[in-house]
Amino acid sequence: RPSRRQRHYGGGAEFAGEAGPVSGVAPGRLIGVGTGPGDPDLLTVKAVRALQSADVLAYFAKEGRRGNARPIVEGIVRENIPELPLYYPVTTEIETHEDGYKSRITAFYDASASAVAEHLSAGRTVAVLSEGDPLFYGSYMHLHVRLAARFPAEVIPGITAMSGCWSMAGLPIVQ
């Protein structure tokens, strides 16, 4: 039986939405912020600075929830920062191999990139939260491949769950 663990296939093709920043407005910055293995004390200094200076906070979540990354940064982000929750159309309701899964999740990443691009085009810096590291099996990567060619983008790595585990266990991974 296939795993019930969620996978998000975004296709990887460049998003073919808006042309880019609004004429006369400097583009905003896209920042993928790794939130680490779940402990707010394990956020990097660079991640905290980016979160405190961002104009918009975006994060992925299941409909009706705040996701896993958003609670990690509670108390770190500015109060009243505009938030852009990006709600998955499916999580574990259907298997990734079933008809319609790939088209639904690809359309979701396209629409999410479009929503983020609206803020970037208006000159706003958008910090997108990512559990662990943004480019290690994170949903942020699907925005990055769609937007980084059109807008300034930065990736702030997070402490991965793997390094968090061996550090908590106090065991060297390689010796």
Side-chain angles (χ1 to χ4, degrees), residues 2-174:
S3 168
R4 294 292 296 173
R5 184 174 172 183
Q6 183 61 41
R7 291 179 193 91
H8 302 290
Y9 299 107
E14 291 236 2
F15 177 68
E18 304 86 47
V22 175
S23 181
V25 175
R29 285 186 321 130
L30 173 66
I31 307 174
V33 180
T35 60
D39 182 345
D41 288 336
L42 294 179
L43 287 169
T44 66
V45 173
K46 190 171 189 175
V48 170
R49 286 184 187 138
L51 291 170
Q52 291 174 341
S53 65
D55 299 312
V56 178
L57 181 67
Y59 56 91
F60 293 93
K62 182 174 182 167
E63 183 75 41
R65 300 201 180 159
R66 295 180 75 206
N68 294 321
R70 178 61 182 91
I72 295 168
V73 302
E74 193 69 42
I76 294 170
V77 295
R78 295 185 332 269
E79 283 191 38
N80 302 319
I81 185 172
E83 296 192 20
L84 178 61
L86 305 168
Y87 295 120
Y88 295 114
V90 292
T91 51
T92 57
E93 295 84 0
I94 62 174
E95 297 290 340
T96 59
H97 67 277
E98 289 184 35
D99 290 341
Y101 177 85
K102 186 172 181 176
S103 63
R104 288 176 73 186
I105 205 71
T106 298
F108 161 71
Y109 285 123
D110 288 345
S112 296
S114 180
V116 170
E118 285 184 39
H119 290 286
L120 297 171
S121 293
R124 298 182 197 103
T125 295
V126 180
V128 181
L129 300 179
S130 181
E131 298 170 42
D133 185 85
L135 298 178
F136 184 71
Y137 196 66
S139 290
Y140 167 79
M141 74 177 82
H142 300 292
L143 297 180
H144 191 85
V145 299
R146 287 166 170 79
L147 298 171
R150 296 181 5 227
F151 299 98
E154 177 180 6
V155 177
I156 300 174
I159 295 171
T160 63
M162 294 177 300
S163 63
C165 287
W166 60 65
S167 296
M168 286 293 294
L171 298 170
I173 190 65
V174 177

